[in-house]
Amino acid sequence: MGCALPATREPPQGGPLSPLLANLLLDDLDQELERRGHGFCRYADDCNIYVRSLAAGQRVMESVVQFLEGKLRLRVNREKSAVAAVGERKFLGYRLLLNGKLGIAPKSIKRAKEKIRQITRRNRGVSLAKVIGELNLFLVGWLAYYRYAACQGELQRLDQWIRRKLRCYRLKQRKGGKSVTDFLRQLGVPAYQAARISSSGKGWWRLSNAPPVKKALSNEWFSQQGLVCLALRYDALRH
């Protein structure tokens, strides 16, 4: 079980001085947890304490809150603090898997997708090259942070989703009709398939997953456009 504490409200996070102040204030907490023999991990004011059962977690939660608020005069953010199974809690964007390895917390994947959605908004009116450039800047930094996680499958699924978002973006740029037909034919799609897709009443998102579109705007095509492949880059960082 994990006991997530303290998520204190003092000092405020955001400035470069905040982690230093948190470490100074919470050094006494570290010593107290070591004295009790608890396994724990803390960064600034974010701390996870590891115990063997739910009952033990609840006891530790109550006693540590009393220590923080009573002795150290700090307020605990009770909305962010909880007792739960280790895999259900996140720490600095990571989560601990049952096999003891690190994984990416679901909320971290969700936030990454929100950022990708912002970059790939179909009404932006900028070139695909610019969108890919912005995506690469974000993806390279994001993956560098999470390179210690066991996440090959998640990255492969994220790669697929990103490519579909970009196929959707590129089709929308062509505005339908003959422009879409010509574009797909240039990429090797047979004329009758290209015409069928361009005249379809389906939305861009559904069309982006059509087999001829996926074959034309393939992984290799996106590689030629310079798009970072998360799964391949992850393998390179890990080896």
Side-chain angles (χ1 to χ4, degrees), residues 186-205:
Q186 290 171 7
L187 295 176
V189 176
Y192 75 95
Q193 289 184 340
R196 182 185 303 170
I197 291 170
S198 64
S199 63
S200 171
K202 298 177 181 178
W204 299 115
W205 181 248

Side-chain angles (χ1 to χ4, degrees):
M1 300 301 294
C3 179
L5 278 162
T8 53
R9 293 174 180 165
E10 297 174 3
Q13 290 293 306
L17 190 59
S18 296
L20 175 60
L21 293 176
N23 285 334
L24 291 173
L25 287 169
L26 295 173
D27 183 64
D28 287 343
L29 173 64
D30 294 346
Q31 295 181 35
E32 177 66 15
L33 293 176
E34 289 174 355
R35 185 185 67 80
R36 298 184 187 185
H38 292 314
F40 69 96
C41 188
R42 181 178 69 78
Y43 179 83
D45 69 340
D46 195 356
C47 181
N48 278 10
I49 305 168
Y50 302 101
V51 294
R52 292 183 179 276
S53 67
L54 177 62
Q58 292 171 338
R59 288 196 302 271
V60 171
M61 171 75 83
E62 293 174 6
S63 63
V64 172
V65 167
Q66 290 176 5
F67 177 81
L68 288 166
E69 296 186 336
K71 184 173 182 179
L72 301 186
R73 305 297 182 185
L74 295 172
R75 290 183 299 154
V76 173
N77 188 330
R78 297 176 187 272
E79 293 181 359
K80 294 184 178 179
S81 302
V83 178
V86 170
E88 296 176 8
R89 301 298 299 178
K90 68 181 182 70
F91 185 71
L92 304 179
Y94 283 89
R95 66 186 179 115
L96 191 61
L97 304 177
L98 293 177
N99 59 8
K101 295 182 179 181
L102 291 174
I104 304 177
K107 287 185 178 180
S108 300
I109 296 288
K110 182 179 179 180
R111 283 197 296 269
K113 283 190 166 186
E114 288 172 355
K115 178 64 175 179
I116 293 166
R117 286 190 182 97
Q118 292 175 8
I119 296 173
T120 59
R121 292 193 318 275
R122 296 197 295 274
N123 60 355
R124 290 192 62 194
V126 300
S127 68
L128 181 68
K130 181 174 176 58
V131 171
I132 288 176
E134 292 180 14
L135 267 178
N136 286 346
L137 284 175
F138 169 71
L139 294 174
V140 167
W142 184 83
L143 183 59
Y145 180 81
Y146 287 106
R147 65 187 182 276
Y148 300 111
C151 57
Q152 181 69 268
E154 290 172 309
L155 294 180
Q156 289 174 349
R157 289 188 290 272
L158 192 56
D159 276 330
Q160 293 171 2
W161 182 76
I162 290 170
R163 288 191 290 265
R164 185 173 179 184
K165 294 286 289 183
L166 291 175
R167 287 197 296 269
C168 192
Y169 188 93
R170 191 68 183 95
L171 288 176
K172 174 68 163 53
Q173 282 186 317
R174 304 299 296 195
K175 302 184 185 301
K178 185 175 183 299
S179 180
V180 169
T181 302
D182 292 343
F183 173 64
L184 293 176
R185 290 192 65 185
Q186 290 171 7
L187 295 176
V189 176
Y192 75 95
Q193 289 184 340
R196 182 185 303 170
I197 291 170
S198 64
S199 63
S200 171
K202 298 177 181 178
W204 299 115
W205 181 248
R206 291 185 65 185
L207 289 176
S208 67
N209 205 39
V213 175
K214 291 173 66 176
K215 184 176 180 179
L217 280 72
S218 63
N219 297 2
E220 292 75 18
W221 186 85
F222 280 115
S223 179
Q224 292 169 6
Q225 311 311 307
L227 178 66
V228 166
C229 176
L230 291 172
L232 291 178
R233 193 174 184 88
Y234 174 78
D235 282 341
L237 288 172
R238 299 279 288 188
H239 296 92

